[in-house]
Amino acid sequence: MKAIVLFGAPGSGKGTVAEKLKVATGYIHISTGDMLREAVKKATSVGLEAEAYMKRGALVPDEVIIKLVEERLDKGSPGDLYMFDGFPRTIPQAELLEKSLGSRGGKVDFVIFLDTPRDVLLQRLTGRRTCRKCGWNCHIINLPPKKAGVCDVCGGELYQRPDDQEATIVNRLEVYNKQTESLIARYQTQKVLVKVNSNQKIENLISEIRQILK
Ligand code: ADP
Ligand code: ZN
């Protein structure tokens, strides 16, 4: 069981990179944000608990996230290649991941840090639109959909995530700085961190990351 982590602030492009890398490499994409949004949509017990935290841009409690990821890994098989997106975000989550992969004979092989200037993060998040049906992301200026308001992938309706409103975005960036950014030091010590510049053309970014994974 091999694993990489796509790491970076909200708006750093984790989801977009994951979608492209998945097609090119066969890594299985695990996005805790997507899993939570799915749970909210289906109004499961996890969804009902998570919704209020997500709306205000706070982190969902570690116990909830850890259970979600454990359940997902339990369904996997030993040869799986995992690509985590938006997880881990706290030290307890990072510890759980290491333990959980370790018990399955794996480890975190690389942490790809998508380094992005703050003004770019803000610009990307305020213009982001998401498909209600399949979760596809686009941007009204940078990566516009073929048809306004309609998902390129499945034809579903594009909407603005409630946490992509400006006031919540500022809060999410602060949460990242306070609670998540410190993981960089941990992964530097473990010698698995690779920093890439996320403020470049997506094709170039993807080929840079594929080079690292080789
Ligand atoms: P972004 O990285 O753009 O903030 P995500 O889809 O990864 O978007 O996360 C959206 C929200 O879901 C977060 O603001 C948080 O409330 C919740 N969430 C997602 N992943 C985690 C996690 N690993 N730990 C705690 N909360 C999470
Ligand atoms: Zn869609």
Side-chain angles (χ1 to χ4, degrees), residues 8-11 14 31-34 36-37 53-54 57-60 62 65 85-89 93 125 128 161 163 172:
K14 303 182 294 289
S31 159
T32 45
D34 286 350
L36 291 169
R37 275 184 291 280
Y53 293 98
M54 296 174 76
L59 293 186
V60 172
D62 283 335
I65 302 293
D85 152 11
F87 172 88
R89 270 168 141 104
Q93 291 182 20
L125 290 167
R128 177 158 75 182
R161 271 168 46 180
D163 60 344
R172 281 159 65 204

Side-chain angles (χ1 to χ4, degrees), residues 130-137 150-158:
T130 303
C131 175
R132 227 181 253 290
K133 224 162 128 192
C134 77
W136 182 71
N137 283 314
V150 179
C151 172
D152 278 11
V153 176
C154 80
E157 181 206 352
L158 297 176

Side-chain angles (χ1 to χ4, degrees), residues 41-107:
K41 198 160 85 179
K42 290 191 181 144
T44 64
S45 59
V46 165
L48 293 174
E49 184 172 359
E51 191 170 17
Y53 293 98
M54 296 174 76
K55 260 207 181 115
R56 61 172 201 272
L59 293 186
V60 172
D62 283 335
E63 312 84 76
V64 177
I65 302 293
I66 286 172
K67 190 159 159 270
L68 211 61
V69 173
E70 280 278 39
E71 279 174 9
R72 179 62 189 78
L73 290 180
D74 280 342
K75 287 193 209 142
S77 32
D80 285 348
L81 300 167
Y82 288 109
M83 173 167 59
F84 292 97
D85 152 11
F87 172 88
R89 270 168 141 104
T90 63
I91 302 275
Q93 291 182 20
E95 287 171 348
L96 175 276
L97 180 62
E98 285 153 30
K99 215 176 88 197
S100 193
L101 288 172
S103 73
R104 293 172 169 86
K107 64 177 176 58

Side-chain angles (χ1 to χ4, degrees), residues 2-8 14 17-18 21 27-30 32 81-90 93-94 97-98 101 107-114 180 183-184 187 190 192-196 209 212-213:
K2 280 174 131 6
I4 62 169
V5 172
L6 297 174
F7 187 89
K14 303 182 294 289
V17 165
L21 267 187
Y27 274 86
I28 299 166
H29 179 200
I30 299 192
T32 45
L81 300 167
Y82 288 109
M83 173 167 59
F84 292 97
D85 152 11
F87 172 88
R89 270 168 141 104
T90 63
Q93 291 182 20
L97 180 62
E98 285 153 30
L101 288 172
K107 64 177 176 58
V108 175
D109 297 297
F110 289 108
V111 175
I112 311 287
F113 170 35
L114 302 172
T180 304
L183 287 177
I184 292 173
Y187 289 125
Q190 294 181 5
V192 291
L193 190 88
V194 189
K195 182 159 111 174
V196 295
I209 295 173
I212 295 164
L213 297 181

